[in-house]
Amino acid sequence: MIGYLLWSLNLTGLALLVWKGERVERYAAAMIAAYIFLEPWLQPFQLSSWRVGLAGLNLALFVGLCRLSARSTRWWLVLAAALQLLIVCTHLLPFLSSDLTIWTGVAVRLTLWTLISLTILGGVWEAMADRRFKEMADGRRHGARHRAGSDHGLD
């Protein structure tokens, strides 16, 4: 049940990113969608208890998000890349101890991925706010003046 809720939250957030976002949001949405699609295919690749396929996929998503965040002015990408780095670090837990650590890593990864899902929705808000602020700035540059008066309801 929680998995379906998280999946639908991701799908909604990615669709909104593509719809409301700019090029950088569309690239991020494509990378995250590719991650979601490839995860079941790479999950079986293991060395003992270490999931090599997922570790590599998470590392690739981290590198992609990190590169996008370095080239853009989007704060949600910085947070998503930081959370993804924490997910990459959890893949080192099997080298530390027993099965308890493995299940702890899985629980931490699920929690962090939930935070990334919420960050995606924050990215939608940031893209919409950025567009609104650019439109306001363009309006001022082209001579549009807004003044308070009784017709605006600001008095």
Side-chain angles (χ1 to χ4, degrees):
M1 171 89 174
I2 292 174
Y4 290 119
L5 179 65
L6 188 60
W7 187 80
S8 64
L9 181 67
N10 287 327
L11 185 62
T12 303
L14 293 175
L16 286 171
L17 273 180
V18 169
W19 180 36
K20 297 288 187 179
E22 293 180 0
R23 181 178 289 171
V24 68
E25 280 88 14
R26 291 183 181 113
Y27 285 152
M31 284 192 297
I32 294 169
Y35 172 86
I36 291 170
F37 175 75
L38 291 173
E39 183 183 18
W41 295 90
L42 296 177
Q43 195 167 9
F45 297 107
Q46 295 187 50
L47 292 174
S48 182
S49 63
W50 187 43
R51 295 179 180 239
V52 179
L54 288 182
L57 186 60
N58 280 309
L59 181 62
L61 182 60
F62 164 69
V63 169
L65 289 174
C66 193
R67 291 189 75 197
L68 277 179
S69 68
R71 294 178 182 199
S72 73
T73 59
R74 300 288 196 234
W75 284 102
W76 78 271
L77 282 171
V78 174
L79 179 59
L83 292 169
Q84 189 62 30
L85 176 61
L86 291 174
I87 290 173
V88 170
C89 290
T90 63
H91 284 286
L92 302 176
L93 287 175
F95 296 117
L96 299 177
S97 186
S98 66
D99 288 338
L100 177 64
T101 308
I102 293 170
W103 287 111
T104 303
V106 170
V108 169
R109 279 192 292 276
L110 182 60
T111 303
L112 290 171
W113 188 254
T114 303
L115 291 175
I116 288 176
S117 299
L118 295 174
T119 303
I120 290 169
L121 295 176
V124 173
W125 175 85
E126 186 179 10
M128 290 171 43
D130 184 56
R131 180 180 295 160
R132 187 171 52 246
F133 291 142
K134 284 180 182 177
E135 288 172 357
M136 287 173 47
D138 286 344
R140 278 192 227 123
R141 271 190 237 128
H142 297 299
R145 296 190 181 237
H146 301 284
R147 55 187 168 118
S150 60
D151 56 336
H152 293 287
L154 299 175
D155 287 337

